[in-house]
Amino acid sequence: MEALLKILSYPFTVLFYLLFGITILVFHPVQWVCFNWFGYNAHKKSVDYFNWTLMRCLNVLGTTFHIKINTAVPENVPIIIVSNHQSMWDIPPISWYLRKYHPKFISKVELGKGIPSISYNLRHGGSVLIDRKNPRQAIVELVKFSKYLQKNKRSGVIFPEGTRSKTGVPKPFRRSGLQTLFKKVPEGYVIPVTFNNSWKLQRYGMFPIQMGVRFEMIAHPAIKISDFEVEMLIDKVEETITSNVHK
């Protein structure tokens, strides 16, 4: 059965990439118009629906999305969304299902150019681009990002494993980024997020994409940052996320 699904994945992956390519090309000028003519709120709406459309593209492959939102956060507070990271497809569900928190991403600097729609949003939508080869630059940008989240009462998304888990097994959290954010946003809240089965979409790399994946996302109850010492909070968040990953 697995071999048959892999064979079927080839033509459907071609169709998926056709739709994906159309999506990123269409939404790039839409984002530009929204950002330059109508401002932040219009641009955000265009990004929300861009990510919704990306998930619909994955539906072509038989991907189903199973989402549990078990969190509630007071209004007008900064938020840190902390998640395990299994594939590039973790980003659209966070962007869409947690859109009311205005999620902004901590991303590697290489993604800031060359990809229609995606690079434009990373540069202009409030996200931050980190040079992972330059720790000093990363810390400076994270401090600026923390101030942005506090000022605008938005959410920052961090994947503290650093790189994607290709097998779904969580990697140990790298703590420096979390330490900076938690120390600089003490009045904020943390939303731990767990992904399951996302890694299966890239089991064979970028081609083909596996068909019939049951994609799961759980947003756990929010935690007030000031209720915990930083290292204890990191431990708690990591345990919450990883204990809900399917082995």
Side-chain angles (χ1 to χ4, degrees), residues 8-213:
L8 288 172
S9 293
Y10 282 92
F12 281 94
T13 299
V14 172
L15 176 59
F16 164 79
Y17 277 122
L18 174 63
L19 296 173
F20 175 81
I22 292 172
T23 298
I24 63 174
L25 291 174
V26 167
F27 272 93
H28 189 91
V30 170
Q31 283 191 58
W32 188 93
V33 169
C34 288
F35 180 79
N36 288 282
W37 292 6
F38 302 105
Y40 173 82
N41 288 326
H43 179 241
K44 181 191 176 299
K45 284 286 186 183
S46 72
V47 172
D48 290 346
Y49 284 100
F50 168 62
N51 283 284
W52 180 86
T53 305
L54 290 178
M55 290 190 294
R56 302 294 72 81
C57 292
L58 285 169
N59 289 152
V60 169
L61 290 154
T63 306
T64 56
F65 292 90
H66 302 265
I67 312 298
K68 294 181 182 178
I69 308 294
N70 299 322
T71 191
V73 179
E75 295 183 0
N76 297 316
V77 296
I79 297 167
I80 309 299
I81 298 171
V82 184
S83 175
N84 65 319
H85 198 19
Q86 295 189 349
S87 80
M88 61 187 289
W89 309 111
D90 300 336
I91 293 170
I94 289 178
S95 298
W96 176 252
Y97 290 106
L98 299 178
R99 63 191 181 277
K100 71 177 181 179
Y101 302 123
H102 296 245
K104 312 301 176 187
F105 290 84
I106 298 171
S107 182
K108 58 185 180 181
V109 69
E110 291 84 355
L111 296 179
K113 57 184 178 180
I115 311 172
S117 288
I118 294 170
S119 296
Y120 188 88
N121 180 45
L122 289 174
R123 293 197 311 272
H124 299 285
S127 295
V128 62
L129 297 168
I130 297 297
D131 184 351
R132 293 189 292 188
K133 298 178 182 177
N134 186 343
R136 181 182 295 274
Q137 182 267 357
I139 294 297
V140 169
E141 291 301 319
L142 284 176
V143 171
K144 291 180 184 177
F145 189 52
S146 301
K147 293 178 180 178
Y148 168 84
L149 299 180
Q150 289 188 96
K151 178 181 178 181
N152 296 284
K153 304 299 186 287
R154 292 171 184 159
S155 64
V157 183
I158 182 169
F159 300 108
E161 291 167 287
T163 57
R164 299 188 296 267
S165 170
K166 296 180 180 180
T167 61
V169 177
K171 297 181 178 182
F173 280 11
R174 298 180 180 180
R175 296 188 165 230
S176 60
L178 291 173
Q179 289 166 343
T180 299
L181 292 172
F182 291 167
K183 289 176 181 177
K184 296 297 181 180
V185 193
E187 71 275 25
Y189 284 72
V190 182
I191 299 178
V193 172
T194 299
F195 283 105
N196 280 301
N197 300 327
S198 169
W199 67 275
K200 293 180 180 179
L201 290 167
Q202 293 183 256
R203 171 179 283 175
Y204 309 119
M206 296 301 292
F207 194 94
I209 300 175
Q210 181 170 320
M211 291 190 65
V213 171

